Amino acid sequence: MNWMRTNLKLLTSYPSALAGLVVILALVIMAVYAMVSMPLSEAINLWRAGEGIWQDTPRNAAPAWLNVFRREKLPVTQVYDTTQMPGSKTVESLGGGLKEIRVVFPVEYAYDGFPQEISVFTTAQFEQARPNLTMYWLTPDGREIPLGNETLRASESFRLSQDTRLSRRLRNQPAEIGLFADPGAPSPTVLKGTYQFVAEGIVFEDAADIDVKLVVYGQLHGLAGTDHRRRDIMVALLWGTPIALAMGFVAAVGATVSTMLIAAVGAWYGGWVDELIQRITEVHLILPILPILIMVGTLYNRSLVVIMGLFVLLSVFSGGIKTYRALFLQIKEAPYIEGARSYSASNMRIVFRYMVPRVLPVLIPQFVTLIPSFVFLEATLAVLGLGDPLLPTWGKVLWEAETNGALFNGHYYWVLAPSVLLLVTGLGFSMLGFTLDRVFNPRLRGL
Amino acid sequence: MSDNSVLLRVEDLHTWFELRRFGFFRIGHVRAVDGVNCVLGRGEAVAVVGESGCGKSTLARTILGLYTPTKGRIVFDGKVLDTKDDKAMQAYRAQVGYVQQDPFGALPPFMDVRRILDEPLVINGVKDPKERDARIRQALEDVRLTPVDDFLGKFPHQLSGGQQQRLVIARAIILKPKLIVADEPVSMLDASVRVEILQLLRRLQEAYGISIIYITHDLSTVRFFSERIFVMYGAKIIEQAKTRDLLDNPQHPYTRALLNAIPDPDPDNAHRFREVPGGEPPSLMNPPSGCRFHPRCPAIIRGKCDAQIPPDLELEPAHKVACWLYADNVQRESA
């Protein structure tokens, strides 16, 4: 429509609208990126999974880009895996089915902070005889520290940081400090340089093999850090975007468009139709929505679709009906409606083609400003513990941060990132919505 | 008038609006049209005059099929109108065009000219887009909105008042109606474009043989426009006659007062007092008994005018008046 086009052109003359559009565009790009890079099922899987999937990430790590602002650089996670690094494993046959497998990982360590944890994961293939593995640690200053001698099962994990015998050998320091500390220094300081992790295994069968993975967990991880279950928070932040946008959009459509249409029908037909709609609305106005949602979430189902569907249903007959009805009652008396009746326009045609277009200038800005309020609603419900049990959303990140004492423990990034995203979403849509309001309803323009 | 030359016959038409308190207690009716009889010939232009609130717009809307009459019937083109039959009503409405008072309000502000003219065609089943386009162009040319292509994409707010009213007329004639009801079509226009619009209506009437019901409270344009005049007062037609006849020789006391009130650009008027009946227009909820004009009438016959409703008396051919003053003359003549 022509007036739409001129209005949109007018829109670009408002810096706030442009800023809002940029924010929304960025969110949309983020959402598209999330959906392209990772299917929803994978995201759900990643978010539900325990330690099995998140083996190589540290627990409660801050974002990696914090190093840019730090003088003392903190480590990021280093992973050494024989399956990924073919040169690190040498196999030597000793005859009679006996094979010696030697694994050497050169660990370059130039950080100022100690790692968070050190773990070794092994997988062994054998039929009867369990292989044997001896591990030791060579420091840059030439010390050799034995890490243990183990008979392997099919898969083993050695949490060196929790190994008390190793800790005793390291002068009662936990492994992540003892292995990297300068022995001459009075207080634990990192000895920078190239360490070597050596694992020597003996297998007793021709087909047998050993694979070793060393993980030196850092204190920082990725763009958003990790949570208490080693999950990369970025997964939830990324996938939270399409979920938030889709939900806000769908709920806003459901709540505003249906409300407007019902108001239009009531105003046009009048009589008992109108009375019925008005009475239902008045009953709805006094229904406490949040307790109802909590009740349904507690007793029935917490899935996002159910909760949001219920919310949209409850907001169909919201106070908006009164506002729209007032507008429609005015429009209904316009001479052009009478003109349309004089050439036999049907009731439905009058409602949809003659009355509804008149309120679009009111509806569109309202619609845009409503979107973030539904995103906030999801976050509110999630923080109240009514978040969807499967989907990674911003609100659930906040809820988990809260229940795990993120701020108490100083994990500010855990709270900050989803909060900022929520704020930015609200800001973007509000800036656009308020500007749309000014463009579509020019009487506000001078204010 | 012979039957074939009659386009519209209105017989004992009543349009009452129910008044309710708290939504369901009936407390009475507004009798906006209360027993109207009239006849309109093919290609004839008739003016309905009367003061505000006398029911002339309600009469127009009842004739347009927008209001359902409470009682009485409308015979259009030889057929009695069945207001309950939606299909027949749609076919009827297609033959009656409507020109409204406020041209800007009468046009949907969000539609362009093409869409405005397209709507009646689409609704009334003109399916072929080429035919619709041709008819839209023809209608715009008929109302002199030319060059047509310049106007097709415009929105009502981009047109001047006169152009808007031309567009409203184009919309009224696009279905090729036999009758146009024009409800004060020029009262909201600039004096400079009034004549143009009336001339346009006149031209269309002559070119297409359309009958026109011209509703107005402005007697100065009536002389120019119509062949006959109906004078309405208190929801009834009290006098009907040929234009010249009525203006030169008004019979009903109300018509005389109305004609007296026409402004006359004569400097002497400043020193002259016009005799205008006092009082107020009658309440249509609770109309006066007998003649509706009797509380204000200077020539009231006590005991008759305030008791009995005057019948339509035919003083001369085509000059009817509803007034007790002439009852004796007519009876003597007919006796």
Side-chain angles (χ1 to χ4, degrees), chain A residues 41-60:
Chain A
S41 57
E42 196 192 325
I44 290 176
N45 206 20
L46 281 177
W47 202 243
R48 293 185 75 188
E51 310 261 327
I53 285 185
W54 298 101
Q55 209 173 43
D56 305 343
T57 46
R59 221 182 265 280
N60 288 328

Side-chain angles (χ1 to χ4, degrees), chain B residues 171-192:
Chain B
R171 185 173 70 180
I173 61 164
I174 197 155
L175 291 170
K176 300 184 176 152
K178 292 177 178 159
L179 170 66
I180 286 181
V181 178
D183 189 356
E184 314 234 17
V186 293
S187 70
M188 289 185 75
L189 297 178
D190 230 51
S192 58

Side-chain angles (χ1 to χ4, degrees), chain A residues 305-387:
Chain A
V305 177
V306 169
I307 295 283
M308 287 318 294
L310 183 69
F311 184 80
V312 170
L313 271 183
L314 287 174
S315 48
V316 163
F317 286 94
S318 63
I321 285 203
K322 298 272 179 194
T323 321
Y324 287 124
R325 180 171 175 267
L327 284 172
F328 280 125
L329 285 178
Q330 201 182 351
I331 294 166
K332 181 188 170 185
E333 299 302 326
Y336 76 86
I337 300 279
E338 193 182 47
R341 290 222 298 136
S342 82
Y343 49 79
S344 305
S346 64
N347 286 327
M348 278 295 133
R349 197 180 184 91
I350 287 177
V351 170
F352 287 101
R353 300 278 186 95
Y354 288 77
M355 287 165 68
V356 167
R358 282 293 294 277
V359 297
L360 285 184
V362 181
L363 179 94
I364 291 172
Q366 211 169 43
F367 170 75
V368 172
T369 23
L370 255 179
I371 291 176
S373 70
F374 286 105
V375 178
F376 291 161
L377 178 84
E378 189 277 331
T380 310
L381 290 173
V383 168
L384 287 173
L386 289 169

Side-chain angles (χ1 to χ4, degrees), chain B residues 14-199:
Chain B
H14 293 70
T15 306
W16 291 6
F17 298 107
E18 221 163 59
L19 287 177
R20 289 167 184 236
R21 185 163 290 163
F22 305 126
F24 46 92
F25 294 114
R26 284 178 205 178
I27 56 168
H29 291 92
V30 174
R31 306 175 179 196
V33 175
D34 200 17
V36 165
N37 291 289
C38 62
V39 168
L40 181 68
R42 283 178 201 278
E44 189 188 23
V46 163
V48 179
V49 297
E51 59 199 2
S52 303
C54 72
K56 53 191 196 302
S57 285
T58 307
L59 176 65
R61 280 164 205 183
T62 310
I63 290 172
L64 280 161
L66 297 176
Y67 296 151
T68 312
T70 319
K71 211 172 100 186
R73 53 182 204 165
I74 296 170
V75 184
F76 185 80
D77 217 2
K79 268 182 272 175
V80 179
L81 204 61
D82 181 0
T83 51
K84 289 192 183 92
D85 182 350
D86 287 342
K87 268 204 177 138
M89 283 307 283
Q90 179 170 358
Y92 167 68
R93 285 197 202 103
Q95 297 180 62
V96 185
Y98 185 23
V99 177
Q100 282 152 290
Q101 181 174 15
D102 167 14
F104 183 65
L107 299 167
F110 46 85
M111 293 187 186
D112 62 8
V113 169
R114 177 188 286 280
R115 176 91 195 278
I116 286 169
L117 295 178
D118 208 25
E119 281 284 306
L121 295 173
V122 171
I123 291 166
N124 288 283
V126 182
K127 293 215 173 75
D128 180 16
K130 271 186 207 146
E131 190 195 337
R132 290 211 302 264
D133 184 63
R135 281 174 74 169
I136 290 169
R137 285 167 187 279
Q138 180 60 43
L140 285 175
E141 264 164 36
D142 283 343
V143 298
R144 304 285 197 277
L145 282 179
T146 49
V148 171
D149 285 305
D150 289 0
F151 285 98
L152 281 176
K154 285 201 170 158
F155 285 83
H157 65 90
Q158 294 165 312
L159 304 175
S160 71
Q163 287 171 333
Q164 285 167 358
Q165 194 59 291
R166 282 163 192 271
L167 183 55
V168 173
I169 293 170
R171 185 173 70 180
I173 61 164
I174 197 155
L175 291 170
K176 300 184 176 152
K178 292 177 178 159
L179 170 66
I180 286 181
V181 178
D183 189 356
E184 314 234 17
V186 293
S187 70
M188 289 185 75
L189 297 178
D190 230 51
S192 58
V193 285
R194 280 183 188 179
V195 179
E196 279 177 42
I197 294 292
L198 289 175
Q199 274 172 341

